[in-house]
Protein backbone atom coordinates (compact mmCIF):
# COMPACT_ATOMS: atom_id res chain seq x y z
CA UNK A 1 0.00 0.00 0.00
CA UNK A 2 1.33 3.48 -0.88
CA UNK A 3 2.76 5.35 2.12
CA UNK A 4 3.50 9.03 1.73
CA UNK A 5 7.04 10.19 2.40
CA UNK A 6 8.27 13.64 3.39
CA UNK A 7 12.02 13.20 3.73
CA UNK A 8 14.18 10.88 1.70
CA UNK A 9 17.79 9.78 1.97
CA UNK A 10 20.14 8.85 -0.84
CA UNK A 11 23.22 6.64 -0.60
CA UNK A 12 25.74 4.93 -2.86
CA UNK A 13 26.93 1.45 -1.95
CA UNK A 14 29.35 -1.20 -3.22
CA UNK A 15 31.81 -0.34 -6.00
CA UNK A 16 31.55 3.21 -7.32
CA UNK A 17 30.63 3.85 -10.95
CA UNK A 18 30.85 6.92 -13.19
CA UNK A 19 27.40 8.46 -13.44
CA UNK A 20 26.50 7.91 -9.79
CA UNK A 21 26.84 11.67 -9.27
CA UNK A 22 24.40 12.37 -12.09
CA UNK A 23 21.95 9.98 -10.42
CA UNK A 24 22.40 11.65 -7.00
CA UNK A 25 21.86 15.07 -8.60
CA UNK A 26 18.65 13.93 -10.25
CA UNK A 27 17.32 12.30 -7.06
CA UNK A 28 17.97 15.48 -5.07
CA UNK A 29 16.59 17.97 -7.58
CA UNK A 30 13.52 15.99 -8.59
CA UNK A 31 12.66 15.10 -4.98
CA UNK A 32 12.91 18.77 -3.98
CA UNK A 33 10.75 19.76 -6.94
CA UNK A 34 8.16 17.28 -5.61
CA UNK A 35 8.20 18.99 -2.21
CA UNK A 36 10.35 16.39 -0.42
CA UNK A 37 13.33 17.06 1.84
CA UNK A 38 16.54 15.21 0.97
CA UNK A 39 19.39 13.94 3.14
CA UNK A 40 22.64 12.51 1.88
CA UNK A 41 23.83 9.36 3.65
CA UNK A 42 27.62 9.11 3.42
CA UNK A 43 29.58 5.88 2.81
CA UNK A 44 26.64 3.60 2.01
CA UNK A 45 25.14 1.45 4.74
CA UNK A 46 28.29 1.98 6.85
CA UNK A 47 27.55 5.72 7.01
CA UNK A 48 23.90 5.03 7.77
CA UNK A 49 24.89 2.94 10.80
CA UNK A 50 27.38 5.65 11.84
CA UNK A 51 24.68 8.34 11.34
CA UNK A 52 26.80 10.21 8.78
CA UNK A 53 23.79 12.05 7.43
CA UNK A 54 23.77 15.53 5.90
CA UNK A 55 21.03 17.82 4.63
CA UNK A 56 21.06 18.36 0.88
CA UNK A 57 19.58 21.11 -1.23
CA UNK A 58 19.67 21.83 -4.94
CA UNK A 59 23.09 23.48 -4.67
CA UNK A 60 24.61 20.46 -2.85
CA UNK A 61 24.62 18.77 -6.23
CA UNK A 62 25.87 21.68 -8.32
CA UNK A 63 28.86 20.98 -10.53
CA UNK A 64 28.89 17.22 -10.07
CA UNK A 65 27.30 15.83 -13.23
CA UNK A 66 30.64 15.63 -15.03
CA UNK A 67 32.56 14.11 -12.12
CA UNK A 68 33.40 10.43 -11.73
CA UNK A 69 33.14 8.66 -8.38
CA UNK A 70 30.42 9.55 -5.89
CA UNK A 71 30.22 12.70 -3.78
CA UNK A 72 28.52 10.60 -1.08
CA UNK A 73 31.46 8.17 -0.96
CA UNK A 74 30.79 4.46 -0.87
CA UNK A 75 31.64 1.48 1.28
CA UNK A 76 30.97 -2.15 1.94
CA UNK A 77 29.44 -2.87 5.35
CA UNK A 78 29.29 -6.31 6.94
CA UNK A 79 27.19 -5.15 9.88
CA UNK A 80 24.32 -4.25 7.57
CA UNK A 81 24.09 -7.85 6.31
CA UNK A 82 22.85 -8.90 9.79
CA UNK A 83 19.21 -8.53 10.95
CA UNK A 84 20.45 -6.43 13.90
CA UNK A 85 22.34 -4.10 11.56
CA UNK A 86 19.31 -3.72 9.32
CA UNK A 87 17.01 -2.96 12.27
CA UNK A 88 19.55 -0.40 13.54
CA UNK A 89 19.58 1.16 10.03
CA UNK A 90 15.78 1.43 9.94
CA UNK A 91 15.72 2.90 13.47
CA UNK A 92 18.35 5.50 12.48
CA UNK A 93 16.27 6.44 9.43
CA UNK A 94 13.26 7.05 11.69
CA UNK A 95 15.37 9.02 14.17
CA UNK A 96 16.42 11.35 11.32
CA UNK A 97 12.90 11.58 9.91
CA UNK A 98 13.91 9.63 6.78
CA UNK A 99 10.93 7.66 5.50
CA UNK A 100 12.28 6.82 2.05
CA UNK A 101 15.71 5.90 0.66
CA UNK A 102 17.30 5.66 -2.78
CA UNK A 103 20.05 3.05 -2.84
CA UNK A 104 22.44 3.27 -5.78
CA UNK A 105 24.53 0.11 -6.10
CA UNK A 106 24.53 -3.49 -7.23
CA UNK A 107 22.76 -6.72 -6.25
CA UNK A 108 24.28 -6.81 -2.76
CA UNK A 109 23.10 -3.27 -2.08
CA UNK A 110 19.61 -4.19 -3.31
CA UNK A 111 19.42 -7.10 -0.88
CA UNK A 112 19.99 -4.50 1.84
CA UNK A 113 17.42 -2.20 0.24
CA UNK A 114 14.84 -5.01 0.27
CA UNK A 115 15.47 -5.49 3.99
CA UNK A 116 15.01 -1.77 4.74
CA UNK A 117 11.79 -1.81 2.77
CA UNK A 118 10.50 -4.79 4.80
CA UNK A 119 11.28 -2.77 7.94
CA UNK A 120 9.00 0.05 6.78
CA UNK A 121 11.42 2.44 5.07
CA UNK A 122 10.26 3.05 1.49
CA UNK A 123 13.17 2.00 -0.65
CA UNK A 124 14.04 2.34 -4.34
CA UNK A 125 17.16 0.86 -5.95
CA UNK A 126 19.14 2.23 -8.89
CA UNK A 127 21.53 -0.08 -10.76
CA UNK A 128 25.02 1.39 -10.33
CA UNK A 129 27.88 -0.85 -11.38
CA UNK A 130 30.41 -0.96 -14.19
CA UNK A 131 29.89 -4.73 -14.47
CA UNK A 132 26.44 -4.68 -16.19
CA UNK A 133 25.70 -7.78 -14.13
CA UNK A 134 22.23 -6.87 -12.81
CA UNK A 135 19.76 -9.30 -14.34
CA UNK A 136 16.65 -7.13 -14.62
CA UNK A 137 18.28 -4.34 -16.63
CA UNK A 138 20.02 -3.93 -19.99
CA UNK A 139 21.87 -0.85 -18.67
CA UNK A 140 23.73 -0.13 -15.45
CA UNK A 141 25.12 3.25 -14.44
CA UNK A 142 28.84 3.33 -15.21
CA UNK A 143 29.16 0.50 -17.72
CA UNK A 144 29.28 2.80 -20.73
CA UNK A 145 32.06 4.95 -19.27
CA UNK A 146 34.04 1.96 -18.04
CA UNK A 147 33.89 0.14 -21.33
CA UNK A 148 34.96 3.28 -23.21
CA UNK A 149 37.85 3.80 -20.78
CA UNK A 150 38.94 0.20 -21.22
CA UNK A 151 38.60 0.44 -25.00
CA UNK A 152 40.85 3.50 -25.16
CA UNK A 153 43.44 1.85 -22.92
CA UNK A 154 43.44 -1.31 -25.04
CA UNK A 155 43.91 0.75 -28.24
CA UNK A 156 47.10 2.09 -26.65
CA UNK A 157 48.29 -1.36 -25.64
CA UNK A 158 47.65 -2.52 -29.19
CA UNK A 159 50.01 0.17 -30.58
CA UNK A 160 52.95 -0.95 -28.50
CA UNK A 161 52.05 -4.61 -28.91
CA UNK A 162 52.21 -4.18 -32.71
CA UNK A 163 55.51 -2.29 -32.58
CA UNK A 164 57.12 -5.08 -30.58
CA UNK A 165 55.25 -7.85 -32.43
CA UNK A 166 54.07 -9.18 -29.12
CA UNK A 167 51.08 -11.00 -27.78
CA UNK A 168 49.17 -9.01 -25.13
CA UNK A 169 46.71 -10.27 -22.59
CA UNK A 170 44.56 -7.47 -21.23
CA UNK A 171 42.47 -8.22 -18.16
CA UNK A 172 39.33 -6.16 -17.74
CA UNK A 173 37.01 -5.87 -14.74
CA UNK A 174 33.53 -7.34 -14.41
CA UNK A 175 33.71 -9.55 -11.33
CA UNK A 176 32.08 -12.82 -12.56
CA UNK A 177 30.52 -11.24 -15.64
CA UNK A 178 32.10 -10.90 -19.08
CA UNK A 179 30.22 -7.88 -20.45
CA UNK A 180 33.19 -5.48 -20.39
CA UNK A 181 35.38 -8.18 -21.94
CA UNK A 182 32.88 -8.93 -24.69
CA UNK A 183 32.35 -5.28 -25.57
CA UNK A 184 36.08 -4.54 -25.60
CA UNK A 185 36.65 -7.66 -27.65
CA UNK A 186 34.33 -6.24 -30.28
CA UNK A 187 35.45 -2.63 -30.01
CA UNK A 188 39.19 -3.32 -29.98
CA UNK A 189 39.12 -5.98 -32.66
CA UNK A 190 40.73 -8.48 -30.31
CA UNK A 191 42.17 -11.76 -31.53
CA UNK A 192 40.57 -13.64 -28.63
CA UNK A 193 37.95 -12.89 -25.97
CA UNK A 194 37.82 -14.98 -22.81
CA UNK A 195 34.53 -14.75 -20.92
CA UNK A 196 33.83 -16.44 -17.58
CA UNK A 197 30.39 -17.42 -18.88
CA UNK A 198 31.87 -19.35 -21.83
CA UNK A 199 35.60 -20.09 -21.35
CA UNK A 200 36.25 -23.82 -21.41
CA UNK A 201 39.81 -23.53 -20.05
CA UNK A 202 41.31 -24.95 -23.24
CA UNK A 203 44.61 -23.04 -23.14
CA UNK A 204 46.19 -25.23 -25.82
CA UNK A 205 43.52 -24.06 -28.28
CA UNK A 206 44.34 -20.46 -27.30
CA UNK A 207 48.06 -21.11 -27.88
CA UNK A 208 47.33 -22.74 -31.25
CA UNK A 209 45.41 -19.64 -32.33
CA UNK A 210 48.31 -17.36 -31.32
CA UNK A 211 50.70 -19.49 -33.41
CA UNK A 212 48.25 -19.57 -36.32
CA UNK A 213 47.76 -15.79 -36.21
CA UNK A 214 51.52 -15.22 -36.31
CA UNK A 215 51.85 -17.57 -39.30
CA UNK A 216 49.18 -15.54 -41.04
CA UNK A 217 51.31 -12.42 -40.54
CA UNK A 218 49.53 -10.78 -37.58
CA UNK A 219 51.92 -8.41 -35.84
CA UNK A 220 49.99 -8.31 -32.59
CA UNK A 221 47.70 -10.71 -30.77
CA UNK A 222 45.36 -9.07 -28.30
CA UNK A 223 43.61 -11.42 -25.90
CA UNK A 224 40.93 -9.79 -23.75
CA UNK A 225 40.64 -11.76 -20.55
CA UNK A 226 37.82 -11.17 -18.09
CA UNK A 227 38.61 -10.69 -14.40
CA UNK A 228 36.30 -13.63 -13.66
CA UNK A 229 38.84 -15.90 -15.36
CA UNK A 230 41.91 -14.03 -14.09
CA UNK A 231 45.44 -15.50 -13.96
CA UNK A 232 46.55 -13.22 -16.82
CA UNK A 233 50.19 -13.05 -15.71
CA UNK A 234 50.68 -16.81 -15.51
CA UNK A 235 48.72 -17.28 -18.73
CA UNK A 236 51.11 -14.85 -20.45
CA UNK A 237 54.14 -16.82 -19.22
CA UNK A 238 52.71 -20.09 -20.51
CA UNK A 239 51.79 -18.58 -23.90
CA UNK A 240 55.29 -17.11 -24.28
CA UNK A 241 56.92 -20.44 -23.35
CA UNK A 242 54.72 -22.40 -25.76
CA UNK A 243 54.86 -20.00 -28.73
CA UNK A 244 58.20 -18.25 -28.40
CA UNK A 245 56.33 -14.98 -28.91
CA UNK A 246 56.99 -12.33 -26.27
CA UNK A 247 53.80 -11.99 -24.25
CA UNK A 248 52.82 -9.30 -21.74
CA UNK A 249 49.88 -9.14 -19.38
CA UNK A 250 48.19 -5.88 -18.38
CA UNK A 251 45.52 -5.72 -15.71
CA UNK A 252 43.56 -2.53 -16.32
CA UNK A 253 42.13 -2.53 -12.80
CA UNK A 254 40.49 0.41 -11.06
CA UNK A 255 41.21 2.96 -13.79
CA UNK A 256 38.08 1.45 -15.39
CA UNK A 257 35.96 2.71 -12.50
CA UNK A 258 37.07 6.34 -12.62
CA UNK A 259 36.88 9.27 -14.96
CA UNK A 260 34.33 11.63 -16.33
CA UNK A 261 31.08 9.87 -17.24
CA UNK A 262 30.04 9.52 -20.86
CA UNK A 263 27.00 11.33 -22.21
CA UNK A 264 24.98 8.11 -22.04
CA UNK A 265 25.87 7.53 -18.39
CA UNK A 266 24.97 11.12 -17.49
CA UNK A 267 21.64 11.00 -19.31
CA UNK A 268 20.49 7.51 -18.27
CA UNK A 269 21.63 8.03 -14.67
CA UNK A 270 19.71 11.32 -14.59
CA UNK A 271 16.53 9.68 -15.87
CA UNK A 272 16.87 6.79 -13.43
CA UNK A 273 17.55 9.13 -10.52
CA UNK A 274 14.51 11.21 -11.43
CA UNK A 275 12.37 8.09 -11.68
CA UNK A 276 13.49 6.94 -8.22
CA UNK A 277 12.50 10.27 -6.68
CA UNK A 278 9.13 10.20 -8.48
CA UNK A 279 8.43 6.64 -7.29
CA UNK A 280 9.16 7.69 -3.70
CA UNK A 281 6.98 10.80 -4.04
CA UNK A 282 4.18 8.49 -5.21
CA UNK A 283 4.58 6.44 -2.03
CA UNK A 284 6.10 3.41 -3.80
CA UNK A 285 8.59 1.11 -2.11
CA UNK A 286 10.68 -2.00 -2.74
CA UNK A 287 11.18 -1.14 -6.43
CA UNK A 288 14.24 -1.27 -8.63
CA UNK A 289 14.56 1.10 -11.57
CA UNK A 290 15.76 -0.64 -14.74
CA UNK A 291 16.18 -0.11 -18.47
CA UNK A 292 14.58 -2.93 -20.41
CA UNK A 293 13.82 -3.21 -24.12
CA UNK A 294 14.39 0.50 -24.67
CA UNK A 295 12.21 1.69 -21.77
CA UNK A 296 12.88 2.87 -18.23
CA UNK A 297 10.79 0.60 -16.01
CA UNK A 298 10.70 -0.59 -12.40
CA UNK A 299 10.48 -4.02 -10.80
CA UNK A 300 9.76 -5.45 -7.38
CA UNK A 301 13.20 -5.82 -5.74
CA UNK A 302 12.81 -9.51 -4.83
CA UNK A 303 11.50 -10.37 -8.30
CA UNK A 304 14.40 -8.48 -9.84
CA UNK A 305 16.94 -10.28 -7.63
CA UNK A 306 15.50 -13.64 -8.70
CA UNK A 307 15.95 -12.88 -12.39
CA UNK A 308 18.94 -14.24 -14.29
CA UNK A 309 20.68 -13.10 -17.43
CA UNK A 310 23.49 -14.33 -19.59
CA UNK A 311 25.71 -13.06 -22.37
CA UNK A 312 23.68 -13.05 -25.60
CA UNK A 313 24.38 -16.26 -27.51
CA UNK A 314 24.04 -14.37 -30.78
CA UNK A 315 26.53 -11.68 -29.72
CA UNK A 316 28.95 -14.32 -28.49
CA UNK A 317 28.68 -16.22 -31.78
CA UNK A 318 29.32 -13.01 -33.74
CA UNK A 319 32.34 -12.17 -31.57
CA UNK A 320 33.76 -15.60 -32.42
CA UNK A 321 33.29 -14.96 -36.14
CA UNK A 322 35.07 -11.61 -35.91
CA UNK A 323 38.19 -12.88 -34.14
CA UNK A 324 40.04 -14.19 -37.16
P1 LIG B 1 27.14 -4.42 -4.83
O1 LIG B 1 26.01 -3.65 -4.26
O2 LIG B 1 27.94 -3.66 -5.82
O3 LIG B 1 26.70 -5.79 -5.30
P2 LIG B 1 28.26 -5.64 -2.46
O4 LIG B 1 27.84 -7.03 -2.81
O5 LIG B 1 29.61 -5.44 -1.89
O6 LIG B 1 28.21 -4.64 -3.69
O7 LIG B 1 27.17 -5.06 -1.46
C1 LIG B 1 27.25 -3.76 -0.98
C2 LIG B 1 26.75 -3.71 0.44
O8 LIG B 1 25.37 -4.09 0.46
C3 LIG B 1 27.43 -4.67 1.41
O9 LIG B 1 28.64 -4.17 1.93
C4 LIG B 1 26.40 -4.76 2.50
O10 LIG B 1 26.44 -3.64 3.34
C5 LIG B 1 25.08 -4.71 1.71
N1 LIG B 1 24.59 -6.08 1.49
C6 LIG B 1 25.12 -7.01 0.69
N2 LIG B 1 24.43 -8.18 0.79
C7 LIG B 1 23.45 -7.96 1.68
C8 LIG B 1 22.40 -8.76 2.24
N3 LIG B 1 22.22 -10.03 1.89
N4 LIG B 1 21.58 -8.20 3.16
C9 LIG B 1 21.75 -6.91 3.52
N5 LIG B 1 22.71 -6.11 3.04
C10 LIG B 1 23.55 -6.61 2.14
O1 LIG C 1 31.73 -4.36 -9.06
C1 LIG C 1 32.64 -3.45 -9.59
C2 LIG C 1 34.04 -3.98 -9.46
O2 LIG C 1 34.95 -3.02 -9.98
C3 LIG C 1 34.28 -5.34 -10.11
O3 LIG C 1 34.46 -5.25 -11.51
C4 LIG C 1 35.50 -5.81 -9.36
O4 LIG C 1 35.51 -7.22 -9.30
C5 LIG C 1 35.31 -5.24 -7.98
O5 LIG C 1 34.36 -4.17 -8.10
C6 LIG C 1 36.57 -4.70 -7.37
O6 LIG C 1 36.29 -4.32 -6.08
P1 LIG C 1 37.32 -3.48 -5.17
O7 LIG C 1 37.18 -2.05 -5.54
O8 LIG C 1 36.85 -3.77 -3.80
O9 LIG C 1 38.68 -3.99 -5.48
Amino acid sequence: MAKSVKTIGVLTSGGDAPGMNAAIRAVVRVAISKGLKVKGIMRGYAGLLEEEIVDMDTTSVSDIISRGGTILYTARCMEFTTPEGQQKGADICRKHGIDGIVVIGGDGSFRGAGKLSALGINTIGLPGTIDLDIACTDYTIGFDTAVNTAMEAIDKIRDTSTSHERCSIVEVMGRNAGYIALWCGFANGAEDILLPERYDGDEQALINRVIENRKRGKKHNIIINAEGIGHSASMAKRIEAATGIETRATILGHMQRGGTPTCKDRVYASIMGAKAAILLAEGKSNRLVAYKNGEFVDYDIQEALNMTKDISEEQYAISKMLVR
Side-chain angles (χ1 to χ4, degrees):
M1 202 178 44
K3 188 191 87 180
S4 77
V5 300
K6 292 191 175 63
T7 302
I8 68 163
V10 54
L11 63 82
T12 47
S13 168
D16 67 346
M20 280 184 165
N21 282 330
I24 295 165
R25 173 177 174 271
V27 168
V28 171
R29 294 208 168 154
V30 173
I32 289 171
S33 79
K34 296 271 171 196
L36 305 177
K37 287 197 174 122
V38 186
K39 295 186 187 235
I41 300 166
M42 312 303 285
R43 298 184 179 78
Y45 295 120
L48 174 63
L49 299 187
E50 296 291 325
E51 298 189 51
E52 291 181 57
I53 298 169
V54 297
D55 291 332
M56 296 186 91
D57 59 26
T58 54
T59 60
S60 320
V61 290
S62 298
D63 256 338
I64 66 167
I65 195 162
S66 60
R67 280 163 56 190
T70 158
I71 58 160
L72 296 175
Y73 302 98
T74 185
R76 299 197 168 96
C77 173
M78 278 309 290
E79 189 184 353
F80 197 74
T81 60
T82 65
E84 297 74 24
Q86 292 148 16
Q87 185 61 56
K88 183 174 162 191
D91 291 344
I92 289 170
C93 285
R94 287 196 186 89
K95 178 176 161 191
H96 288 263
I98 295 171
D99 33 31
I101 285 201
V102 178
V103 171
I104 309 170
D107 278 348
S109 305
F110 300 148
R111 287 200 178 84
K115 301 286 167 44
L116 272 181
S117 171
L119 291 167
I121 307 298
N122 283 11
T123 309
I124 308 291
L126 292 185
T129 169
I130 64 164
D131 301 337
L132 196 65
D133 62 348
I134 297 174
C136 69
T137 185
D138 300 333
Y139 165 83
T140 60
I141 297 167
F143 173 76
D144 190 59
T145 307
V147 87
N148 274 287
T149 301
M151 179 190 74
E152 284 171 19
I154 297 165
D155 279 343
K156 295 183 169 85
I157 291 169
R158 184 178 173 134
D159 289 345
T160 173
S161 194
T162 306
S163 307
H164 287 261
E165 299 176 67
R166 281 175 175 159
C167 172
S168 289
I169 302 182
V170 188
E171 187 173 310
V172 295
M173 273 188 169
R175 207 181 291 257
N176 300 316
Y179 295 99
I180 298 178
L182 179 67
W183 278 57
C184 287
F186 272 111
N188 294 103
E191 274 63 43
D192 242 300
I193 312 170
L194 309 182
L195 308 178
E197 295 89 343
R198 297 287 185 282
Y199 185 52
D200 59 7
D202 188 351
E203 205 165 283
Q204 190 54 53
L206 186 66
I207 288 166
N208 293 345
R209 287 194 293 275
V210 174
I211 294 169
E212 195 54 36
N213 286 338
R214 184 50 53 97
K215 278 192 197 146
R216 288 167 51 227
K218 286 222 176 199
K219 296 296 186 199
H220 59 259
N221 195 111
I222 305 290
I223 300 168
I224 310 288
N225 186 29
E227 175 189 19
I229 295 172
H231 304 291
S232 296
S234 55
M235 211 183 264
K237 282 199 182 113
R238 289 192 295 272
I239 291 173
E240 181 166 308
T243 63
I245 299 167
E246 267 193 320
T247 303
R248 296 285 189 269
T250 307
I251 297 174
L252 293 186
H254 289 84
M255 57 103 69
Q256 294 162 96
R257 284 226 307 251
T260 182
T262 58
C263 179
K264 180 172 179 174
D265 275 330
R266 295 181 201 193
V267 173
Y268 280 33
S270 297
I271 294 169
M272 287 183 152
K275 203 165 158 58
I278 291 165
L279 286 168
L280 282 177
E282 289 171 351
K284 305 267 174 56
S285 182
N286 202 43
R287 309 295 296 174
L288 205 102
V289 178
Y291 181 78
K292 199 75 196 159
N293 303 324
E295 305 272 354
F296 292 94
V297 293
D298 55 282
Y299 295 105
D300 173 88
I301 288 184
Q302 276 69 37
E303 275 175 27
L305 286 173
N306 287 334
M307 293 179 190
T308 55
K309 78 171 175 184
D310 193 10
I311 296 280
S312 147
E313 200 46 60
E314 183 185 35
Q315 288 175 24
Y316 182 62
I318 292 171
S319 79
K320 285 280 170 207
M321 289 186 256
L322 292 175
V323 290
R324 294 268 171 240

